[in-house]
Each structure stands twice: as structure tokens, then as C-alpha cells.
Amino acid sequence: IWEMSGLMRIYSRVNGKVDEKPFIVPRSSTAEEFARTIHNAVASRMQKAKVWGSSAKFPGQLVGRDHVLHDCDQVEVLEK
């Protein structure tokens, strides 16, 4: 169903704890678009992000704003 819907689930991560309820975003969303889903102010202050999941080369990879996320990734937004 998720593949046909064109949506994916992204879990936020804060201080090592993963939120149980995912954010629902369009497929091929970037880290910046995910941050904007949380709040516009978060996206404007975002500097980088840490990613755990299939889009990362290794757990906790530091990525830029334009990194494309995959379904069920966990993302920690790092602000200025």
C-alpha cells in the first residue's frame, strides 16, 4: 500500500530516542523537506541531519539538506 500511495514514513529522532509515530511525507523527500514538515522554523535553522536507515551508508551518517530519504528512515535534524 505504501508503494502505491507515493508516500513514505520518516521517524524523527531526538537525543537518541525515536518517536513511535512517523511523519508521512511524499516519496523522494529530502532532509530539508522533512524538516519543513516538522515546522518551517526548524527547516530555516537546519544545518545538517543525521540519518539511520537504508538511505544512509552507515548508521548515524551526517548528511546535507538535499539528502534524499527512504521509507522508514530515522532522522535527527541538527540546527544552527
Side-chain angles (χ1 to χ4, degrees):
I1 293 176
W2 283 107
E3 290 179 25
M4 293 187 318
S5 72
L7 301 172
M8 63 181 177
R9 301 157 291 187
I10 302 295
Y11 294 87
S12 64
R13 189 172 175 133
V14 179
N15 298 325
K17 294 183 181 180
V18 180
D19 194 1
E20 293 178 16
K21 295 182 180 179
F23 286 86
I24 307 302
V25 298
R27 286 217 177 267
S28 302
S29 289
T30 63
E32 181 178 12
E33 291 165 341
F34 168 69
R36 186 163 281 108
T37 301
I38 296 171
H39 195 279
N40 285 336
V42 173
S44 66
R45 292 190 311 256
M46 177 184 174
Q47 191 170 37
K48 295 188 183 245
K50 287 186 179 181
V51 177
W52 290 259
S54 63
S55 73
K57 293 180 183 176
F58 53 88
Q61 180 183 0
L62 195 61
V63 299
R65 300 168 74 101
D66 60 345
H67 178 79
V68 178
L69 301 171
H70 293 173
D71 188 34
C72 294
D73 277 354
Q74 298 173 10
V75 180
E76 181 176 349
V77 176
L78 303 175
E79 299 177 0
K80 295 178 186 175

mmCIF file of all heavy atoms in Angstrom, residues 12-19 50 52 74-76 78:
data_model
loop_
_atom_site.group_PDB
_atom_site.id
_atom_site.type_symbol
_atom_site.label_atom_id
_atom_site.label_comp_id
_atom_site.label_asym_id
_atom_site.label_seq_id
_atom_site.Cartn_x
_atom_site.Cartn_y
_atom_site.Cartn_z
ATOM 1 N N SER A 12 11.213 10.684 13.406
ATOM 2 C CA SER A 12 12.116 11.696 13.960
ATOM 3 C C SER A 12 12.879 11.076 15.130
ATOM 4 O O SER A 12 12.398 10.161 15.798
ATOM 5 C CB SER A 12 11.338 12.925 14.419
ATOM 6 O OG SER A 12 10.469 12.599 15.472
ATOM 7 N N ARG A 13 14.054 11.603 15.342
ATOM 8 C CA ARG A 13 14.920 11.099 16.402
ATOM 9 C C ARG A 13 15.462 12.302 17.156
ATOM 10 O O ARG A 13 16.022 13.216 16.560
ATOM 11 C CB ARG A 13 16.040 10.280 15.763
ATOM 12 C CG ARG A 13 16.892 9.526 16.715
ATOM 13 C CD ARG A 13 17.823 8.612 15.913
ATOM 14 N NE ARG A 13 18.735 7.944 16.787
ATOM 15 C CZ ARG A 13 19.004 6.654 16.751
ATOM 16 N NH1 ARG A 13 18.437 5.906 15.840
ATOM 17 N NH2 ARG A 13 19.844 6.126 17.580
ATOM 18 N N VAL A 14 15.305 12.292 18.485
ATOM 19 C CA VAL A 14 15.788 13.383 19.328
ATOM 20 C C VAL A 14 16.548 12.788 20.502
ATOM 21 O O VAL A 14 16.004 11.974 21.247
ATOM 22 C CB VAL A 14 14.614 14.254 19.841
ATOM 23 C CG1 VAL A 14 15.126 15.371 20.728
ATOM 24 C CG2 VAL A 14 13.809 14.813 18.684
ATOM 25 N N ASN A 15 17.816 13.190 20.643
ATOM 26 C CA ASN A 15 18.669 12.709 21.734
ATOM 27 C C ASN A 15 18.693 11.182 21.831
ATOM 28 O O ASN A 15 18.619 10.611 22.916
ATOM 29 C CB ASN A 15 18.233 13.319 23.066
ATOM 30 C CG ASN A 15 18.364 14.818 23.066
ATOM 31 O OD1 ASN A 15 19.282 15.364 22.461
ATOM 32 N ND2 ASN A 15 17.461 15.497 23.733
ATOM 33 N N GLY A 16 18.742 10.519 20.708
ATOM 34 C CA GLY A 16 18.847 9.060 20.676
ATOM 35 C C GLY A 16 17.534 8.315 20.803
ATOM 36 O O GLY A 16 17.499 7.100 20.698
ATOM 37 N N LYS A 17 16.437 9.027 21.050
ATOM 38 C CA LYS A 17 15.132 8.381 21.181
ATOM 39 C C LYS A 17 14.335 8.577 19.898
ATOM 40 O O LYS A 17 14.228 9.678 19.385
ATOM 41 C CB LYS A 17 14.363 8.971 22.360
ATOM 42 C CG LYS A 17 15.002 8.672 23.696
ATOM 43 C CD LYS A 17 14.164 9.205 24.821
ATOM 44 C CE LYS A 17 14.834 8.908 26.155
ATOM 45 N NZ LYS A 17 14.025 9.411 27.276
ATOM 46 N N VAL A 18 13.769 7.475 19.406
ATOM 47 C CA VAL A 18 13.000 7.509 18.160
ATOM 48 C C VAL A 18 11.520 7.671 18.490
ATOM 49 O O VAL A 18 10.979 6.955 19.336
ATOM 50 C CB VAL A 18 13.212 6.209 17.353
ATOM 51 C CG1 VAL A 18 12.411 6.233 16.072
ATOM 52 C CG2 VAL A 18 14.681 6.006 17.066
ATOM 53 N N ASP A 19 10.870 8.627 17.828
ATOM 54 C CA ASP A 19 9.436 8.836 18.013
ATOM 55 C C ASP A 19 8.682 7.636 17.451
ATOM 56 O O ASP A 19 9.026 7.130 16.376
ATOM 57 C CB ASP A 19 9.011 10.118 17.292
ATOM 58 C CG ASP A 19 7.634 10.603 17.698
ATOM 59 O OD1 ASP A 19 6.996 9.957 18.568
ATOM 60 O OD2 ASP A 19 7.200 11.620 17.158
ATOM 61 N N LYS A 50 21.346 13.852 10.819
ATOM 62 C CA LYS A 50 21.904 12.510 10.963
ATOM 63 C C LYS A 50 20.809 11.545 10.544
ATOM 64 O O LYS A 50 19.645 11.726 10.889
ATOM 65 C CB LYS A 50 22.301 12.232 12.410
ATOM 66 C CG LYS A 50 23.543 12.958 12.848
ATOM 67 C CD LYS A 50 23.934 12.509 14.234
ATOM 68 C CE LYS A 50 25.198 13.197 14.700
ATOM 69 N NZ LYS A 50 25.579 12.726 16.034
ATOM 70 N N TRP A 52 19.606 7.378 10.030
ATOM 71 C CA TRP A 52 19.720 5.945 10.233
ATOM 72 C C TRP A 52 18.703 5.299 9.310
ATOM 73 O O TRP A 52 17.549 5.715 9.280
ATOM 74 C CB TRP A 52 19.370 5.578 11.673
ATOM 75 C CG TRP A 52 20.359 6.001 12.696
ATOM 76 C CD1 TRP A 52 21.307 5.214 13.287
ATOM 77 C CD2 TRP A 52 20.506 7.303 13.287
ATOM 78 N NE1 TRP A 52 22.024 5.950 14.190
ATOM 79 C CE2 TRP A 52 21.566 7.229 14.208
ATOM 80 C CE3 TRP A 52 19.861 8.513 13.107
ATOM 81 C CZ2 TRP A 52 21.970 8.326 14.955
ATOM 82 C CZ3 TRP A 52 20.275 9.600 13.850
ATOM 83 C CH2 TRP A 52 21.312 9.503 14.764
ATOM 84 N N GLN A 74 15.227 7.029 9.942
ATOM 85 C CA GLN A 74 15.155 7.805 11.168
ATOM 86 C C GLN A 74 16.049 9.018 10.969
ATOM 87 O O GLN A 74 17.186 8.880 10.530
ATOM 88 C CB GLN A 74 15.650 6.986 12.358
ATOM 89 C CG GLN A 74 14.830 5.752 12.634
ATOM 90 C CD GLN A 74 15.458 4.897 13.707
ATOM 91 O OE1 GLN A 74 16.397 5.291 14.370
ATOM 92 N NE2 GLN A 74 14.920 3.699 13.866
ATOM 93 N N VAL A 75 15.538 10.199 11.301
ATOM 94 C CA VAL A 75 16.266 11.444 11.030
ATOM 95 C C VAL A 75 16.334 12.306 12.280
ATOM 96 O O VAL A 75 15.312 12.542 12.935
ATOM 97 C CB VAL A 75 15.591 12.237 9.895
ATOM 98 C CG1 VAL A 75 16.333 13.526 9.621
ATOM 99 C CG2 VAL A 75 15.506 11.405 8.630
ATOM 100 N N GLU A 76 17.545 12.774 12.585
ATOM 101 C CA GLU A 76 17.755 13.757 13.638
ATOM 102 C C GLU A 76 18.204 15.043 12.971
ATOM 103 O O GLU A 76 19.253 15.080 12.346
ATOM 104 C CB GLU A 76 18.806 13.276 14.637
ATOM 105 C CG GLU A 76 19.040 14.245 15.765
ATOM 106 C CD GLU A 76 20.024 13.713 16.806
ATOM 107 O OE1 GLU A 76 20.361 12.521 16.768
ATOM 108 O OE2 GLU A 76 20.455 14.518 17.640
ATOM 109 N N LEU A 78 19.770 18.619 12.792
ATOM 110 C CA LEU A 78 20.738 19.401 13.553
ATOM 111 C C LEU A 78 20.596 20.863 13.152
ATOM 112 O O LEU A 78 20.722 21.208 11.985
ATOM 113 C CB LEU A 78 22.148 18.902 13.262
ATOM 114 C CG LEU A 78 22.394 17.411 13.545
ATOM 115 C CD1 LEU A 78 23.775 17.009 13.113
ATOM 116 C CD2 LEU A 78 22.160 17.094 15.006
#
